[in-house]
Amino acid sequence: MKGKTTMTTQNAINWPERYLPGTGDNFVSNEVIVKGLTAAGVWRYLVDTSTWESYYDNVADISFPQGGGPELGEGVRFRFGTFGFPPLDAQVVEFRPPGEGVPGRLSWTAAQNGGPEERLDVLHAWLVEDLPGGRVRILTQETQIGRPAAELAAQRPNPMLNGHQAWLDGLVRAAS
């Protein structure tokens, strides 16, 4: 191998045991690494839900039934529609803005209640970190539990995998 080799260790999502990847009914992981952006610049568009619909067409009807918003923060509760599901009730469970040498971390749980056929339980997590060489890494992963999740996972291609890639691509465009 010619040239200089750079070793790097990248951070990972913090997973509550209930949502550990591979233990639910649907899991996807999407990641981009791009040059010319910063974690702080990306974070701004990720946590401001008023910008989501401008760069991601698979989200709608974002609301904050208990007040607050449109910015996400620790413990914030919100509702949104996605993937054709009725609006999901969500709550931010991890919120740490990026800092010098520290990745930004955002995750929320979301649920659709109802009978066993409709029940859906989700953890959607984001990690945004600056990398050497003026690059930023954006990782999003989601575990879903429930029959609607299993039905999504059985589709080819997986709509959640493609939908989250569209979210990443839109986020990068917005932050550019």
Side-chain angles (χ1 to χ4, degrees):
M1 184 182 213
K2 292 184 176 186
K4 181 179 171 186
T5 300
T6 302
M7 299 301 288
T8 180
T9 301
Q10 295 177 338
N11 291 288
I13 301 291
N14 295 327
W15 286 102
E17 189 172 337
R18 173 172 171 71
Y19 301 101
L20 221 77
T23 63
D25 296 303
N26 195 11
F27 171 79
V28 298
S29 179
N30 298 73
E31 175 181 43
V32 295
I33 297 176
V34 294
K35 191 170 186 153
L37 296 178
T38 64
V42 170
W43 187 257
R44 183 176 133 225
Y45 290 95
L46 179 58
V47 301
D48 182 355
T49 64
S50 71
T51 68
W52 287 4
E53 290 182 66
S54 72
Y55 66 82
Y56 181 51
D57 64 5
N58 191 27
V59 67
D61 304 321
I62 303 165
S63 65
F64 293 81
Q66 298 179 346
E71 298 256 337
L72 298 178
E74 188 70 41
V76 167
R77 292 180 182 273
F78 63 107
R79 289 176 58 93
F80 66 101
T82 189
F83 292 104
F85 295 127
L88 299 169
D89 294 309
Q91 181 175 9
V92 175
V93 294
E94 184 176 31
F95 186 89
R96 183 172 68 195
E100 184 66 37
V102 177
R105 294 182 178 277
L106 172 65
S107 63
W108 60 76
T109 56
Q112 173 186 307
N113 296 316
E117 302 297 311
E118 300 90 32
R119 192 170 299 129
L120 179 67
D121 185 12
V122 169
L123 181 90
H124 191 146
W126 295 84
L127 189 137
V128 183
E129 66 181 323
D130 288 313
L131 298 177
R135 301 171 301 140
V136 68
R137 174 181 178 233
I138 311 164
L139 171 66
T140 187
Q141 298 179 329
E142 183 170 320
T143 292
Q144 296 180 334
I145 302 166
R147 179 175 219 126
E151 290 170 358
L152 270 182
Q155 295 179 37
R156 292 294 174 264
N158 185 319
M160 192 167 65
L161 184 67
N162 289 340
H164 287 177
Q165 190 63 47
W167 199 339
L168 280 175
D169 295 344
L171 181 58
V172 166
R173 277 192 310 276
S176 297

